Amino acid sequence: MFLFFFEYFYIPIMKYTRILLKLSGEALLGKKEFGIDSDILEQYAMEIKRAVDTGVQIAIVIGGGNIFRGVQGVQGGLVDRAQGDYMGMLATVINAMALQGALERYGLKTRLLSAIKMEQICEPFIRRRAIRHLEKGRVVIFGAGTGNPYFTTDTAASLRAVEIEADVILKGTRVDGVYTADPEKDPLAEKFDTISFTEVYKRGLNVMDLTAITLCQENNLPIIVFDMNRIGNLAELLAGKQVGTLVASS
């Protein structure tokens, strides 16, 4: 009877205590050409809920490319780079609010912290406050990038991960890891199980932008690139299974 009791209440030991989950705005498109696919949003919320239930502390940075990308605005002659980047930051807040609503429908406690002050809808980013929210079991969503133009949400994710002392950055994409080339265009592309930051530089692989990679390398912060759209991947990764590609110091 004791064994039965033990097995019934067994909780797997998680490999990580605190993570930074980086999600792309484009992933929220799903089957749409613009905006947010409610099915994808619901799926992400479900996956994050499963991860939170294991006791792992989760912070999230989400991009805004499904709504607006500063680079596109510049290339189209719409605005200058700084203005375009600020517009992109506002797009990330829209996505963050949508994700926050989805998570709360699953009963999760959340906090949205913005690098740009928007008191009516989110808290300003304060490092100690963010850490305290995580310690209390709340999911913390970081919006508005770094609050500065000329920086991507990849860099924002790396910066926030370092600031909150995360164990790892989990970059959720629509591919299952890092390849020698784009697997959607090159059928001969080979996947890496692990790769060093130095090798990423040498090969010019599109893992994150160079500023983000450098920040992670300097702070010995590993990155795992994985397919967020495959149900169960996030939970398996947190349990220590080989999922995606690990990018770390050699």
Side-chain angles (χ1 to χ4, degrees), residues 4 14 16 28 53 75 89-90 92 104 115 152 161 168 180 198 224 234-235 249:
F4 174 78
M14 294 296 106
Y16 304 107
L28 290 181
D53 287 344
Q75 292 174 344
M89 290 179 220
L90 298 180
T92 70
E104 290 183 342
T152 67
V168 65
T180 54
T198 303
I224 297 178
L234 179 59
S249 299

Side-chain angles (χ1 to χ4, degrees), residues 20-25 59-63 153-154 157 169-173 208 226:
L20 189 294
L21 177 61
K22 169 63 170 67
L23 300 173
S24 71
I60 303 170
V61 169
I62 188 166
T153 50
D154 278 348
I169 293 178
L170 305 182
K171 183 172 181 180
T173 67
M208 283 180 154
F226 73 107

Side-chain angles (χ1 to χ4, degrees), residues 12-18 56 167 224 237-241 246:
I13 298 175
M14 294 296 106
K15 184 175 182 179
Y16 304 107
T17 301
R18 179 179 297 162
V56 176
D167 300 320
I224 297 178
L237 198 160
L238 294 176
K241 294 184 179 180
L246 171 65

Side-chain angles (χ1 to χ4, degrees), residues 21-35:
L21 177 61
K22 169 63 170 67
L23 300 173
S24 71
E26 287 89 342
L28 290 181
L29 284 171
K31 298 179 180 179
K32 293 188 174 184
E33 294 182 1
F34 179 82

Side-chain angles (χ1 to χ4, degrees), residues 147-197:
N148 301 288
Y150 304 101
F151 292 96
T152 67
T153 50
D154 278 348
T155 299
S158 299
L159 176 62
R160 296 292 182 246
V162 172
E163 288 180 305
I164 66 172
E165 300 176 356
D167 300 320
V168 65
I169 293 178
L170 305 182
K171 183 172 181 180
T173 67
R174 61 185 183 185
V175 295
D176 62 345
V178 179
Y179 285 76
T180 54
D182 187 343
E184 295 181 347
K185 298 178 180 178
D186 184 357
L188 299 179
E190 297 181 3
K191 179 187 170 186
F192 297 97
D193 288 331
T194 61
I195 188 171
S196 69
F197 289 115

